[in-house]
């Protein structure tokens, strides 16, 4: 009975009897030998295995099983292979599984006591097919003395996730209480997911890196039919956000779906020198994306701190007309469309800006002429005017201390 070796609902995975042949060795010598070893072999023809491909096996098909049980003097270890790619090395104490590894097309060392490492490599797969298998492990009791906890260590060439193709994926999943922890790396992002088993709680996504290719934005972001009412609630943060070849900065928010759309609450970060969430004593910076099934609308409200306003111009790939050391912006802006379809023709609302200790950069055309006019009426320079000193008007930049 497999349950006597490893406590698991085997009847939901393996059906049929396993005919075996055995070889008992006593006093064996050599590397890896134990005082008593029992080798069991079978072609598994009378067994059906109900798992997704490539682990599935229909009834009547042969697949070689070769196991060796080690006794010293009690049952200590079971190692072996099933087919060409599946290998196992399990350790026992008092006839109970304490730790081990089961790997598919991977070479993985045996983990610490208390963990059963389930490692595998697949070119790709449909993750939905594996949900019933994961549920079987989640139904296991929490580990106590001499018990084990499953850890999935997986690698894929690519996966299709929510219509996105993610490549070069490596993930380690721990089914702990009350959260499932997922540490992962990929071509698009690296980070950690904390997924609560209680569906009433909010998942947490913390990324050290998120890279969004420009082509991906063109293909996915502009697609029609995107409904913010269907977004999943999540607490999200990224330390380094890159769009195309450009580093935007850090960003975090709480995404909450609503009847009328989605709210991005408690926005904090540092993007192009703009720092929402900088002011602890003021209201949060928030963004609202609404949709009634026919029409979209977007709204941005709240204060945003500013370091060098010149970083914003550089980030947006527009000529830098000013810089600053510190500052503050207050937004209450809305537009009747999706967030990225903002324009000077459709935006309405109030916008306040206060910058300290910076300079305007003169340029040819109207902008330079306007700055010269401002400089002529700069009260701090009146003394210069009385002395017929207009050097600041014709110099390269116009310095200011406080600009509102």
């Amino acid at each position: 009975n497999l349950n006597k070796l490893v406590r698991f609902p085997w009847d939901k995975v393996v059906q049929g009897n396993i005919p075996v042949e055995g070889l008992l060795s006593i006093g064996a010598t050599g590397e890896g030998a134990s005082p008593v070893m029992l080798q069991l072999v079978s072609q598994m023809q009378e067994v059906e295995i109900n798992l997704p491909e490539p682990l599935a096996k229909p009834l009547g098909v042969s697949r070689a099983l070769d196991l060796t049980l080690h006794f010293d003097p009690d049952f200590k270890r079971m190692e072996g292979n099933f087919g060409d790619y599946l290998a196992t090395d399990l350790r026992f104490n008092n006839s109970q599984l304490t730790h081990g590894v089961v790997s598919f097309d991977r070479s993985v060392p045996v983990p610490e006591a208390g963990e059963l490492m389930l490692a595998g490599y697949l070119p790709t797969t449909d993750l939905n097919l594996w949900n019933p298998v994961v549920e079987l492990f989640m139904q296991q009791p929490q580990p106590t003395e001499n018990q084990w906890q499953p850890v999935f260590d997986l690698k894929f060439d690519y996966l299709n996730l929510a219509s996105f193709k993610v490549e070069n994926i490596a993930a380690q999943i721990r089914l702990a209480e009350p959260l499932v922890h997922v540490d992962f790396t990929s071509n698009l992002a690296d980070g950690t997911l904390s997924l609560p088993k209680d569906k009433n709680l909010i998942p947490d996504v913390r990324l050290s890196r998120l890279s969004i290719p420009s082509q991906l934005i063109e293909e996915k972001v502009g697609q029609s039919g995107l409904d913010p009412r269907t977004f999943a609630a999540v607490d999200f943060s990224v330390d380094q956000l890159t769009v195309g070849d450009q580093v935007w900065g850090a960003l975090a928010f709480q995404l909450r779906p609503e009847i009328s759309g989605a709210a991005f609450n408690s926005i904090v970060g540092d993007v192009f020198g703009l720092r929402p969430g900088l002011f602890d004593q003021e209201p949060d910076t928030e963004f609202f994306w609404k949709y009634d099934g026919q029409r979209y609308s977007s709204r941005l409200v709240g204060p945003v701190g500013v370091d060098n306003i010149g970083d914003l111009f550089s980030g947006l790939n527009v000529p830098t007309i000013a810089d600053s050391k510190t500052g503050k912006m207050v937004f209450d802006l809305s537009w009747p469309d999706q967030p990225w379809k903002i324009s000077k023709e459709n935006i309405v609302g109030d916008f306040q800006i206060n910058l300290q200790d910076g300079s305007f950069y003169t340029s040819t055309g109207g902008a330079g002429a306007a700055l010269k006019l401002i400089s002529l009426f700069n009260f701090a320079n009146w003394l210069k005017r009385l002395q017929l000193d207009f050097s600041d008007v014709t110099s390269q930049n116009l310095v200011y201390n406080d600009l509102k």
Side-chain angles (χ1 to χ4, degrees):
N1 190 323
L2 290 174
N3 281 311
K4 292 183 178 181
L5 293 177
V6 179
R7 186 177 178 181
F8 185 78
W10 291 105
D11 59 315
K12 299 185 181 300
V13 176
V14 180
Q15 295 181 351
N17 297 318
I18 304 176
V20 297
E21 296 179 358
L23 175 64
L24 180 64
S25 301
I26 300 176
T29 60
E31 184 178 355
S34 299
V36 178
M37 296 189 299
L38 176 62
Q39 183 182 15
L40 302 174
V41 296
S42 173
Q43 291 300 313
M44 302 285 284
Q45 283 184 304
E46 301 178 19
V47 176
E48 180 180 4
I49 298 180
N50 299 314
L51 288 173
E53 292 292 346
L55 299 183
K57 192 192 85 66
L59 187 66
V61 175
S62 297
R63 187 175 299 175
L65 173 69
D66 187 344
L67 296 178
T68 301
L69 282 62
H70 296 253
F71 299 84
D72 186 18
D74 297 328
F75 180 40
K76 295 294 185 180
R77 180 184 180 190
M78 180 172 68
E79 60 174 332
N81 299 280
F82 181 44
D84 295 329
Y85 298 102
L86 189 64
T88 183
D89 190 348
L90 307 180
R91 309 300 171 89
F92 297 80
N93 185 28
N94 294 326
S95 299
Q96 291 187 345
L97 176 66
T98 58
H99 60 298
V101 59
V102 178
S103 61
F104 183 86
D105 203 12
R106 293 272 306 279
S107 178
V108 180
V110 176
E112 298 291 333
E115 291 187 347
L116 175 61
M117 182 72 71
L118 303 167
Y121 160 76
L122 294 174
T124 189
T125 190
D126 182 352
L127 293 182
N128 292 324
L129 298 177
W130 293 91
N131 286 337
V133 181
V134 176
E135 288 293 330
L136 295 178
F137 284 97
M138 295 182 68
Q139 294 169 8
Q140 292 292 105
Q142 284 302 294
T144 58
E145 186 178 1
N146 293 331
Q147 289 187 328
W148 50 271
Q149 180 182 36
V151 178
F152 296 86
D153 192 303
L154 308 173
K155 290 187 176 182
F156 304 96
D157 290 339
Y158 73 93
L159 291 174
N160 291 312
L161 303 173
S163 77
F164 294 96
K165 184 178 181 179
V166 184
E167 301 177 339
N168 303 324
I169 301 168
Q172 192 168 95
I173 306 168
R174 298 178 183 272
L175 307 180
E177 287 288 351
L179 300 171
V180 175
H181 294 282
V182 182
D183 296 309
F184 71 94
T185 62
S186 70
N187 67 316
L188 297 182
D190 309 323
T192 300
L193 310 180
S194 296
L195 309 174
K197 295 182 180 179
D198 186 345
K199 295 183 179 180
N200 294 319
L201 301 179
I202 305 299
D204 185 65
V205 178
R206 300 186 181 184
L207 304 182
S208 58
R209 175 188 65 89
L210 175 60
S211 300
I212 306 176
S214 301
Q215 181 180 359
L216 188 64
I217 294 179
E218 296 172 0
E219 292 177 355
K220 303 297 183 181
V221 173
Q223 64 184 357
S224 59
L226 197 58
D227 189 346
R229 298 172 298 181
T230 63
F231 290 174
V234 65
D235 293 341
F236 176 88
S237 66
V238 55
D239 296 332
Q240 179 176 298
L241 173 63
T242 303
V243 179
D245 297 328
Q246 191 170 40
V247 177
W248 284 28
L251 185 65
F253 52 81
Q254 297 175 352
L255 171 58
R256 299 294 184 267
E258 300 178 345
I259 296 177
S260 59
F264 297 76
N265 302 321
S266 302
I267 302 174
V268 298
D270 187 348
V271 179
F272 298 147
L274 300 183
R275 302 180 62 188
L278 180 63
F279 307 105
D280 295 334
Q281 305 302 319
E282 299 198 27
D284 291 341
T285 306
E286 299 178 317
F287 181 79
F288 302 94
W289 183 1
K290 296 188 176 182
Y291 182 56
D292 61 7
Q294 294 182 333
R295 293 179 296 274
Y296 290 99
S297 65
S298 304
R299 185 186 180 195
L300 175 65
V301 296
V304 175
V306 182
D307 291 330
N308 182 4
I309 191 68
D311 293 339
L312 175 62
F313 297 119
S314 299
L316 297 177
N317 292 320
V318 299
T320 301
I321 63 171
D323 61 26
S324 63
K325 287 187 176 180
T326 60
K328 174 183 175 183
M329 298 179 179
V330 180
F331 295 95
D332 188 357
L333 302 174
S334 61
W335 54 101
D337 214 323
Q338 301 192 72
W340 53 88
K341 293 185 178 180
I342 183 174
S343 68
K344 64 181 180 179
E345 287 80 15
N346 65 5
I347 191 170
V348 296
D350 297 322
F351 170 67
Q352 302 175 27
I353 184 169
N354 184 5
L355 303 177
Q356 287 83 42
D357 301 323
S359 301
F360 275 109
Y361 298 162
T362 58
S363 61
T364 58
L371 292 178
K372 291 181 180 180
L373 180 61
I374 294 173
S375 181
L376 286 171
F377 290 96
N378 189 331
F379 293 108
N381 292 327
W382 274 10
L383 182 58
K384 287 185 177 182
R385 305 289 175 263
L386 294 175
Q387 296 173 343
L388 301 180
D389 182 356
F390 294 87
S391 60
D392 60 304
V393 178
T394 58
S395 64
Q396 182 177 0
N397 298 328
L398 168 61
V399 177
Y400 67 85
N401 295 324
D402 188 42
L403 175 65
K404 296 183 179 179

